[in-house]
Amino acid sequence: MWSWLSATEYSRGKQEHRRRQDVIIMAPASLILLAATVILQVDLLPDKKFLLLPPVNFTIKAINLAQVLLRWEPNTDQEQRNVQLGYHVKINAPQEEDYETRNTESRRITILHKGFSASVQTVPWNDRSLQPSSWVSAELKAPPGSPGTSIVNLTCTTNTKANNYTHLRPYQVSLHCTWLVGKGAPEDTQYFLYYRYGSWTEECQEYSKDTLQRNIACWFPRTFINSKGRDSLAVYVNGSSEEAAIKPFDELFALHAIDRVNPPAKVTAEIEGTCLSIQWEKPVSAFPVHCFDYEVKIYNTRKGYFQTEKMTTNTFISIIDGISEYSIQVRAAVSSACRAGGPSSEWSQPIYVGNNEQKPWTKWFLIAVTATICFILLIFSLICRTCHLWTKLFPPVPAPKSNIKEFFVTINYEKTCSGETEIEVISYVEEDGSETLEDSVF
């Protein structure tokens, strides 16, 4: 009995000793984990004493036509913590805009004739629990110039033509801009236009002038504009005068909005029975075939109604009545799958098909024949009236004789001369088909 109790107590004592050893071994590891947890929680908790400082040396500089560079530096007094910093930029003028970036500079495309101003602040990039810094601002003043001297109503269009001089650029883009003279501009004002596309800047060399020899339009036969590009086109117009400082003007154009698409090429049509088949080629353009939408207009000249159809292919087939003449036109537009939507092209020149198709000389011949016939009839009518030819050709039919045998007509008139009265009586007596005139003067 005592042996069994001793063995049991000994076993329990051994297990308790092992537990104490395990606790002693695990205690340091638990303390390390607890300390790490506390440190991590401290880092994650918002620190009200940790403040973000605004950037310094914020500047705005015009680096090109309608392009500015915003630049700033991190605050050197900013306390270093395990927090990633970014910047919130707010454009105040000429058009409000805001965005975030981790860079310390930013390029913006914008008009500058109204001036430019912006603000920037420091923000936590990955920890929104921290409050952003205060704002710092900078401004680029509007260029000087007398009010009302800058141009107004600036409009520009581009057009693509085939370039037969080089295979590197099979298409060339022309640019045409027009404007009106400012109401406050002196008569000796002269304007000058520049455009920028990407990194290319070019001054106009071909101007159109008004009656006072002031430039009011510009033509670039060839430009560095990429008709398939998505960059904005910047146009800048300044001026000079001996009487006043001319205020400059600039504007941004989206290429898809000002591109004048060419009409479809080589439009053909043919009729087989009651089937009308129309075909055409894509316009002269840098865009491939699949980038165009088309609209076909068919006009029935006999019935006087239009039919329009939209499609994405360059072939159209329709059923017609087979007895009418048809006028056919096609226009094109660049599909939204290839760029932002823009205006359609002009209609192609009309072509005519159908049974009533007439050549121009046939119409003039009919007009000439009709005029000749009318002229001959007019001359014949005048001759008949002058020569009484109509009466001779068609004499009047005599009227039937009256049953009255005697018809007297008496004309009485009185003449007063030297106190005498003269009376003349004229009597007509009709007897047996003969007429006898008797004059009696009393």
Side-chain angles (χ1 to χ4, degrees), residues 324-326 351-359 363:
S324 300
E325 180 189 36
Y326 295 90
I351 60 173
Y352 297 90
V353 293
N355 292 337
N356 293 334
E357 185 177 10
Q358 294 180 343
K359 301 295 183 181
K363 296 180 180 179

Side-chain angles (χ1 to χ4, degrees), residues 147-163:
T149 58
S150 63
I151 66 167
V152 294
N153 293 348
L154 175 64
T155 59
C156 294
T157 57
T158 59
N159 184 244
T160 302
K161 299 294 183 183
N163 186 4

Side-chain angles (χ1 to χ4, degrees), residues 260-274:
R260 187 161 53 88
V261 181
N262 293 306
K266 298 181 180 179
V267 180
T268 60
E270 60 180 7
I271 294 177
E272 294 184 3
T274 59

Side-chain angles (χ1 to χ4, degrees), residues 280 292-298 307-317 329-333 342 344 347:
W280 59 89
F292 288 94
D293 295 329
Y294 300 100
E295 187 174 4
V296 179
K297 180 170 65 175
I298 304 173
Q307 174 188 357
T308 58
E309 298 289 342
K310 294 183 178 181
M311 62 204 63
T312 57
T313 62
N314 61 344
T315 302
F316 177 71
I317 298 176
Q329 293 176 284
V330 186
R331 66 180 178 183
S344 300
W347 289 102

